[in-house]
Amino acid sequence: MGIKAKYIIIGGAILGIGALWYNSKINRWKETMTKLKALPTGLRNFDINFKRMRFNLDVTLYNPTNESFNPDGIMAVVKKIVLKDKLAKKFATITVNRSFVSLPARGKFVLKDLIVEIPILENISNWQNLSEIKSINDIQIETILSVMGKEYSIIK
């Protein structure tokens, strides 16, 4: 066996071991990601007029696991947040497109001052359910994350 073949075999073995290690790490990271919780933690500056309802919302992402949510160079992007009433009917979508690098084990990450606008005329058929929202606990929040081109949903 020549020196060149030896380097190719050694290089292939190193690449194979690296790929297996990386794949294992990605699988653990994806499992942690499915356990993240997204909770509304602030609602303020509520304003309503004939055309729209508008308010600022803070959403906190919690990592309840002992595994760090750290993609090591792979960027996770919070794409959007879908707001739903008590009956899980969508009444607003917030485009976020904010990225974060890591969320430590038992840690949190806050998305602050997201501006929510709800077109009233489009939601007129859902107005009764919307009027029953008395607190943050009455709003169901679905957070859509994009990781490596794949979208994941976290529902509170």
Side-chain angles (χ1 to χ4, degrees):
M1 179 183 322
I3 293 177
K4 202 177 214 184
K6 209 184 252 186
Y7 285 124
I8 291 173
I9 291 171
I10 291 171
I14 291 171
L15 282 175
I17 291 169
L20 288 173
W21 173 81
Y22 192 72
N23 190 39
S24 170
K25 187 171 184 129
I26 291 293
N27 287 337
R28 281 192 322 268
W29 184 78
K30 284 180 182 178
E31 183 179 330
T32 299
M33 193 173 93
T34 62
K35 295 176 183 174
L36 296 179
K37 306 288 184 218
L39 301 172
T41 52
L43 180 66
R44 63 191 163 285
N45 299 333
F46 191 80
D47 179 42
I48 189 168
N49 64 34
F50 177 72
K51 294 182 181 180
R52 60 136 178 93
M53 187 182 327
R54 183 177 187 268
F55 56 90
N56 290 48
L57 179 70
D58 295 344
V59 175
T60 301
L61 298 174
Y62 291 96
N63 180 0
T65 71
N66 291 323
E67 284 284 324
S68 179
F69 180 74
N70 186 351
D72 291 334
I74 301 167
M75 194 62 72
V77 177
V78 179
K79 300 285 281 182
K80 62 184 171 180
I81 297 173
V82 178
L83 300 178
K84 299 176 182 181
D85 63 20
K86 288 181 178 182
L87 300 175
K89 184 174 179 184
K90 179 175 113 175
F91 67 88
T93 301
I94 308 162
T95 302
V96 180
N97 282 329
R98 292 190 189 176
S99 59
F100 57 94
V101 176
S102 68
L103 186 55
R106 306 264 178 226
K108 64 182 179 177
F109 179 83
V110 180
L111 295 168
K112 293 192 73 63
D113 284 323
L114 301 175
I115 298 173
V116 179
E117 288 197 34
I118 303 167
I120 292 175
L121 296 177
E122 292 174 23
N123 284 303
I124 200 81
S125 65
N126 196 32
W127 187 248
Q128 184 176 357
N129 292 335
L130 293 175
S131 66
E132 293 176 7
I133 295 173
K134 304 293 182 210
S135 73
I136 291 174
N137 295 330
D138 295 336
I139 299 172
Q140 181 183 12
I141 296 179
E142 178 181 13
T143 304
I144 309 295
L145 297 172
S146 174
V147 182
M148 300 179 344
K150 186 173 180 182
E151 288 192 353
Y152 295 88
S153 175
I154 302 169
I155 298 175
K156 178 255 177 208

